[in-house]
Amino acid sequence: MHAVILVKQVPDSSQIRVHPQTGTIMRQGVPAILNPYDVYALEEALQLKDKYGAFLTALSMGPLQAENALRKALSYGVDEAFLLSDRSFAGSDTLATSYALAAALRKIDSYRKIDIVFTGKQTIDGDTGQVGPGVARRLGFQLLSYVLEIKHIDFEKKTILVHRKSERGIQIVASKIPCLITVFERKRPIRYASLPNMIRAARAPVKIWNRVDAGIEELSKIGLKGSPTVVGKVFAPQNSRGPAERLEGRSPEEICSLLVEKIFEKFPEVEKKLS
Amino acid sequence: KKPVIDPKLADYRGVWVFVEQEEGVVHPVSWELLGRARILATSLGVEVAAVVFGANDETVDKITGQAISYGAEKVYQVVDPALCDYRSDPYTDCLVNLVKKYKPEILLLGATSLSRDLASSVATILETGLTADCTELTIDVENRSLEATRPTFGGSLLCTILTLNYRPQMATARPGVLPIPLPEPDRKGVIIREPMRIDEEKLITKVLGFIPDPCKVAERLSTAEIVVGGGRGIKQPGHFSLLRELADLLGGEVGGTRPVVQAGWLDTERQIGQTGKTIRPKVYIAVGISGAIQHRVGIEKAGMIVAINNDPNAPIFDYADLGIVGDFLEIIPALIRVLKKKRAA
Ligand SMILES: Cc1cc2nc3c(=O)[nH]c(=O)nc-3n(C[C@H](O)[C@H](O)[C@H](O)COP(=O)(O)OP(=O)(O)OC[C@H]3O[C@@H](n4cnc5c(N)ncnc54)[C@H](O)[C@@H]3O)c2cc1C
Ligand SMILES: Cc1cc2nc3c(=O)[nH]c(=O)nc-3n(C[C@H](O)[C@H](O)[C@H](O)COP(=O)(O)OP(=O)(O)OC[C@H]3O[C@@H](n4cnc5c(N)ncnc54)[C@H](O)[C@@H]3O)c2cc1C
């Protein structure tokens, strides 16, 4: 049993500030973190290790610093980590990213057959949720997106039963391995990294692959060339309201009467609904 | 510099919307998209078409009628028992085949769990660009390109993404952002029933069952005319009962910020903002909410924003229409009393 978790290093967007005058992003000093949604994917994979002794591989594509995200994955108990890093990947959109990741996954699969690929629901920077489905299509794996829970796996019969989130409820789905699972966020957070795993993570080598190592020959499919989407202009959103008119009065009742009057004046239908 | 468009792209014509349904109920984002698609098609001088998939004639014909009333001039239907519940493989195959045959220049879907799965799959197979989670869609008439605008970095900036040299240009749009057009039941449309051969035996993934969300929170929140939002300033989960009482009086719903959802004070489905829902109520009342950009992007489309916060310098006051500086534990009970008095009168 072999599962691969795709992880991405992202800027901690809670710490990104926009310059008030120029409207540009101030990235300096913004720490890079393991994409929070990938942590749920890691936990899901770690449970397969607990239950079935699965071998876990983490794979990331990004600049050399992304090694930190992989080390984090190792500290939780992942067995092996690969970083796909090459200048020619720069500027990849989701189509080009899924192409490169799928190529690396095929290479990994040739050494050790992959049963399940896990991804996060989305990242907090690109935030598209498109990479997981793209990779599944390219590998020809069954795509199980927005999975809430893996209910059952039978490795003999290669069957898997999951609950997945849909807009109007929960779908109960039976499928087959190999599959790609995008993991919906959970209530329970990830386990703590154990001390032995943390020590191992600090020492364990992260294998770094360039384009050729990953077996990618077609340059037209990666980087800017392989990316159909083009970023046009970037601009600050307008603020069409505010500053707010402050309502004042001698008592909370007086202030609230004023508020209710203003609401009903603008939306008389709201008054009619008062129940 | 002006991009050169490949002449073979000129064969691609028309704006398509994939109409998303589950159990015969259409997700409102599909109608929001049809409204916008009509505007885009008009500036391009082309037709608007809807794509409707389903298990039986009854469902598909009913939805086709609705799609026409919301602005579709043409409807491509695929009816097959295999299309009963959403599954990635058969839905992807059908949509890819339709696109290959009829060549739309723009293909729009909702940024929902179902359509994000489908859109990414289709875009990968067709090897075209897909812009995610857009909040604005316009046309650059000069080179017939779709300008798909989406929030980035948590909503602090917007960026416009183009797919110049590939067709179709694909985008998913965030539900609740674009307005739903008024349906016109008298409209007529052309219906094209596309035969597809789907072999259930060959489909690996099977849907064994469906557990509907009993409270339909998402639906209620997105259609509510009044929403009362609570933030970390509420301090205790128990205080949400006050907000609920206020919302009930006004026939509205309760939502909140991410920290209160993460603290478990509120259902995940009720989170409003960048990583939650976008809502467009007539009135949004923000209680104990600071006004972070990630929250604001979800409430921008409200008719009126009222902020109640005890910090006179809270950023929310810069983005609201009306503001009350005060402790919500004094203001909200007073507001409830005033409304009850009005109701009695
Ligand atoms: C502000 C902004 C907006 C963008 N908008 C678009 C757009 O609309 N369309 C488009 O095609 N591209 C877009 N891109 C480019 C896109 O972010 C990159 O292609 C990126 O490499 C992957 O997309 P994502 O971050 O959206 O990942 P998602 O698709 O959201 O990621 C889903 C999961 O895939 C896995 N994953 C994603 N990236 C990697 C990686 N590099 N290594 C390992 N695993 C990974 C993770 O498990 C992750 O949880 C945008 C980028 C930015 C910064
Ligand atoms: C990737 C990412 C995605 C995010 N997505 C979302 C999202 O979808 N939705 C979202 O909401 N946030 C989101 N956030 C979080 C967001 O950045 C803010 O942290 C959050 O919105 C703040 O919540 P808050 O206003 O409840 O809390 P705070 O910022 O702590 O504000 C509490 C407010 O309550 C006021 N207050 C305190 N006591 C009282 C009282 N007695 N009476 C009245 N007022 C009082 C305070 O003055 C303060 O202004 C996201 C963040 C990241 C990094």
Side-chain angles (χ1 to χ4, degrees), chain A residues 207-220:
Chain A
K207 297 187 185 63
I208 298 177
W209 278 359
N210 62 19
R211 174 179 67 79
V212 180
D213 300 327
I216 297 170
E217 277 151 29
E218 276 199 72
L219 280 166
S220 65

Side-chain angles (χ1 to χ4, degrees), chain A residues 11-17 33 35-37 122-125 127, chain B residues 153-154 174 230-235 239 256-262 265 270-277 284 286-298 308-317 324-332:
Chain A
D12 183 354
S13 61
S14 63
Q15 304 207 25
I16 287 182
R17 296 282 171 272
I33 55 170
N35 176 36
Y37 292 107
Q122 63 193 56
T123 62
I124 61 166
D125 60 343
D127 183 17
Chain B
F153 295 105
R174 195 174 173 78
R232 195 142 46 181
I234 297 300
K235 303 247 169 41
H239 287 154
T257 61
R258 188 161 87 152
V260 302
V261 166
Q262 284 183 330
W265 301 359
R270 294 190 184 268
Q271 182 183 319
I272 298 165
Q274 168 80 3
T275 45
K277 301 260 156 7
Y284 180 66
V287 188
I289 292 176
S290 61
I293 179 79
Q294 291 91 350
H295 186 70
R296 271 161 28 215
V297 293
I308 299 169
N309 197 304
N310 64 357
D311 174 5
N313 297 317
I316 186 79
F317 289 123
I324 297 176
V325 178
D327 186 337
F328 84 95
L329 280 174
E330 285 179 19
I331 305 293
I332 301 298

Side-chain angles (χ1 to χ4, degrees), chain A residues 6-8 35 38 59-61 92-95 97 101 119-123 125-132 229, chain B residues 130-132 150 152-153 161:
Chain A
L6 298 181
V7 297
K8 186 183 180 190
N35 176 36
D38 297 351
L59 169 66
S60 186
M61 174 177 128
S92 293
D93 70 359
T94 57
L95 192 74
T97 300
L101 287 171
T119 77
K121 179 182 90 161
Q122 63 193 56
T123 62
D125 60 343
D127 183 17
T128 64
Q130 289 169 192
V131 170
T229 62
Chain B
L130 171 60
T131 305
R150 56 175 308 217
T152 74
F153 295 105
I161 294 179

Side-chain angles (χ1 to χ4, degrees), chain A residues 148 165-169 184 187, chain B residues 213 215-219 221-222 254-256 261 266-272 276-277 279:
Chain A
L148 295 163
K165 175 106 183 56
S166 86
E167 293 296 314
R168 298 176 57 80
F184 198 77
K187 283 244 158 70
Chain B
D213 170 7
C215 359
K216 307 217 165 34
V217 174
E219 205 174 305
L221 198 61
S222 64
V254 170
V261 166
L266 203 64
D267 215 34
T268 321
E269 294 286 320
R270 294 190 184 268
Q271 182 183 319
I272 298 165
K277 301 260 156 7
I279 55 170

Side-chain angles (χ1 to χ4, degrees), chain A residues 37-51:
Chain A
Y37 292 107
D38 297 351
V39 171
Y40 300 109
L42 261 174
E43 175 59 32
E44 209 56 40
L46 287 166
Q47 287 187 20
L48 296 188
K49 185 169 177 164
D50 298 343
K51 275 192 214 152

Side-chain angles (χ1 to χ4, degrees), chain A residues 5 19 113-114 131 140 143 148 165 186 197 199 209 235-236:
Chain A
I5 311 101
H19 194 280
K113 203 114 206 77
I114 300 172
V131 170
L143 167 59
L148 295 163
K165 175 106 183 56
R186 307 287 147 96
N197 275 335
I199 295 168
W209 278 359
F235 54 104

Side-chain angles (χ1 to χ4, degrees), chain A residues 142 145 166 232 235 241 253, chain B residues 22 117 158 160 205 300 337:
Chain A
Q142 285 299 297
S145 59
S166 86
F235 54 104
R241 48 183 127 222
E253 260 84 3
Chain B
E22 267 185 296
D117 177 304
L158 295 169
T160 302
T205 296
E300 254 163 26
R337 283 195 296 275

Side-chain angles (χ1 to χ4, degrees), chain B residues 5 9 26 48 52 70 92 96 109 137 139 141-142 153 169 248 270 306 336:
Chain B
I5 302 173
L9 301 181
V26 174
V48 179
V52 180
Y70 281 109
T92 300
V96 164
L109 303 91
L137 297 164
I139 295 287
V141 182
E142 208 178 321
F153 295 105
Q169 306 164 84
D248 284 345
R270 294 190 184 268
V306 180
I336 291 172

